Amino acid sequence: MGRAEIHYVGGGKYNWTPNVNFSEWSTHEHFDVGDWLYFGFDKNMYNVLEVNKTSYENCIETDFINNITRGGRDVFQLTEPRLYYFLSGRGFCWQGMKVAIQVVNASQPSPSPLPQKSAASASGLGFTNGRIRVLLVSALVLSFFIH
């Protein structure tokens, strides 16, 4: 299992605000079990509620699962592989302040990678072996042009 990551909801330290496309943001993130969500916001205006799917879809802020609002710099750990739903109450959900997070189990083995056939397949470089991949791809490309 890899290291837990902190995901800044909305892409910045204080982006839990109206008029941010949280659905767009979440589709570009990868959430593993054990990762953390960081919600940065003005606690006097907004809050963060974990809700079920129906409440998420209809901006219902009553009967929430969890109120994770503490001080406006709040974290939430993703503890199981499932779909999590969050919204801000006080009417702000209707202004787009809601996000669905799909969490996968990082302990499940990834499928065996297919042999790399081009430099384009090296786009998902990891921190630990990224340099090795770049060197291998560079060597393959170089050998292609030499022969």
Side-chain angles (χ1 to χ4, degrees), residues 5-122:
E5 286 188 46
I6 296 175
H7 301 272
Y8 292 89
V9 176
K13 288 195 175 192
Y14 301 102
N15 275 9
W16 185 241
T17 61
N19 306 313
V20 172
N21 188 336
F22 294 105
S23 297
E24 175 70 18
W25 169 80
S26 68
T27 61
H28 296 290
E29 297 286 313
H30 179 84
F31 303 97
D32 289 318
V33 169
D35 284 358
W36 293 84
L37 298 177
Y38 172 94
F39 293 88
F41 57 97
D42 179 346
K43 71 174 185 167
N44 295 312
M45 292 187 65
Y46 314 118
N47 60 10
V48 182
L49 306 174
E50 180 188 5
V51 296
N52 63 29
K53 182 179 181 182
T54 301
S55 294
Y56 172 82
E57 291 171 345
N58 298 292
C59 288
I60 299 169
E61 61 186 275
T62 56
D63 299 323
F64 52 83
I65 298 168
N66 252 325
N67 181 349
I68 66 168
T69 309
R70 298 291 175 268
R73 290 182 218 82
D74 301 326
V75 294
F76 180 86
Q77 188 168 32
L78 303 167
T79 58
E80 57 186 290
R82 66 177 174 92
L83 201 50
Y84 288 83
Y85 300 97
F86 300 94
L87 60 78
S88 180
R90 305 173 184 157
F92 291 104
C93 177
W94 295 108
Q95 295 179 37
M97 287 185 69
K98 63 182 187 175
V99 65
I101 305 290
Q102 179 64 59
V103 178
V104 297
N105 192 346
S107 64
Q108 292 175 342
S110 298
S112 298
L114 298 173
Q116 292 184 357
K117 295 186 179 173
S118 71
S121 64

